[in-house]
Amino acid sequence: YLKISKLALAFAIIHSKPPGKSSREYTEYLAKTVSEQDFGWKWKVEVLEAEVLRLQQELLLNRISPRFCLENRKQDTSAETLLGQESINPTSYSSQLEDSGCDVCNDSAFDSFGIASDFHQSEHNANTSKHWLERVPPLSLCHSSKEQSLTAPVQFLQRLLEIRKLSEGGILQADFSELENDSFTIWNSVSQLLDGLTVFYNSPKFPAPSFLTEGVSVLISLITDTKLSNHVMKKCFKKMEEFKKNLIQIILRNKSVNRFQALHSVSQTLGLLGRNNILRNSLISLLLSEVRQFAEQLLQAHQVQSVYDITQYENIFLLCMILEQLLQNETQESNVSSSDYGGEEKTKFLKNLDQIILHLSDEFPLFSLYLWRVSVLLNSGQMQ
């Protein structure tokens, strides 16, 4: 039946082809037309899916705190005006996003690539929170460009964080148990945020766009919030693990000449993720594995006098620095039990490490020093 159908299609194309065109050219034209139609339908589906998610986000926020959504609905008229201005001046909304009024971190200073120097959470007073309620844009105001991969989930998660702070201050009544009943919305929102961050870290721009710094700030605030973190981690742990692995590979595989500023920013984000106790142990294991594998490959290349990847050698130091920082934080936080972190990877890393350092110390003294410093931290009181 399939052969007969293909043959019938071929005859139909030959008989219907316009004069002056060969059968091959007409076939390619038809294939291009069909593919464009398919792309149009795919785009429409993506738009509808985004709209469905936006409505689900609004519904979830309304279930958590109806009063919060009621306050924001009063601003719909001004929001429509803002949307009209956005179509005339696309930069107007980006400036508002840059200062959303949702102060999700204690120190908003960002480095040259936009990673916050400190993400300790700050307390909002009642006046600041009420002012934010008056000027927050509705969830429907999203860029139609690729920026939407970050702006859409960032807006939703910002609102979630703001409800959390307002409820903590006694200004709003909120029921966060609703997060347990709607795992898809929170998972999808966090997933979009992580995917969007990965895209921009893979192709960084300078200076960093405001929506990128906003996305990192919201992510760190979300996973460090004592109440929301448990809900997020329960549903998005695997996605967070994938995100960490992607960031590590971005650091290791980047071969561009002017890569160090971008890679430094990625390493800072990894360090900030490591402040979460749940993510820290798995991140240490991932870093131990990558550093150990590279050390073994470098030793093998050194012994047979073969070439090694100099770019990866330069990049591995960023992972070593992140690893050392996380291990130092572990030893300083006496209230956190860390006897099981690293697990099997810790054992593999320490095995034959002295021999590796001995053979590499003459040719690669700096890398050997980092290996030694990491081993000292790992063995420090057996991490209690």
Side-chain angles (χ1 to χ4, degrees), residues 33-92:
T33 302
V34 172
S35 65
E36 288 176 351
Q37 291 176 351
D38 288 344
F39 177 79
W41 281 110
K42 288 179 182 178
W43 180 81
K44 290 179 182 178
V45 169
E46 290 176 358
V47 171
L48 292 174
E49 287 177 344
E51 179 65 11
V52 169
L53 178 60
R54 182 188 67 80
L55 293 174
Q56 290 173 330
Q57 291 171 340
E58 288 189 346
L59 181 62
L60 178 58
L61 292 176
N62 185 67
R63 291 204 304 266
I64 293 175
S65 180
R67 181 189 160 193
F68 180 86
C69 295
L70 182 63
E71 290 287 343
N72 281 285
R73 284 198 193 97
K74 294 178 181 178
Q75 307 302 320
D76 280 351
T77 303
S78 60
E80 290 174 1
T81 304
L82 177 61
L83 182 59
Q85 294 173 350
E86 175 67 14
S87 62
I88 300 173
N89 182 13
T91 60
S92 61

Side-chain angles (χ1 to χ4, degrees), residues 292-305:
R292 174 184 59 81
Q293 291 179 39
F294 180 79
E296 293 173 351
Q297 293 170 6
L298 187 62
L299 175 61
Q300 183 178 5
H302 176 64
Q303 288 176 336
V304 299
Q305 295 297 307

Side-chain angles (χ1 to χ4, degrees), residues 47 155 164 268 315:
V47 171
Q155 284 185 341
R164 165 80 171 95
Q268 282 187 311
N315 295 343

Side-chain angles (χ1 to χ4, degrees), residues 4 25 58 80 97 114 116 145 160 166 199 208 229 238 244 255 293 351:
I4 294 175
E25 291 173 340
E58 288 189 346
E80 290 174 1
L97 180 62
S145 67
L160 197 60
L166 291 174
V199 168
S229 178
K238 290 184 178 179
K244 290 186 298 182
K255 295 181 179 294
Q293 291 179 39
K351 184 180 180 181

Side-chain angles (χ1 to χ4, degrees), residues 340-381:
D340 61 342
Y341 85 87
E344 184 181 354
E345 285 301 330
K346 174 183 174 182
T347 304
K348 290 181 179 179
F349 185 87
L350 293 175
K351 184 180 180 181
N352 300 325
L353 184 63
D354 291 339
Q355 292 296 318
I356 294 176
I357 294 176
L358 178 63
H359 287 89
L360 295 180
S361 57
D362 289 338
E363 190 74 20
F364 307 99
L366 183 58
F367 181 60
S368 300
L369 177 61
Y370 267 104
L371 291 178
W372 176 78
R373 287 164 62 166
V374 169
S375 68
V376 170
L377 288 170
L378 287 171
N379 288 316
S380 178

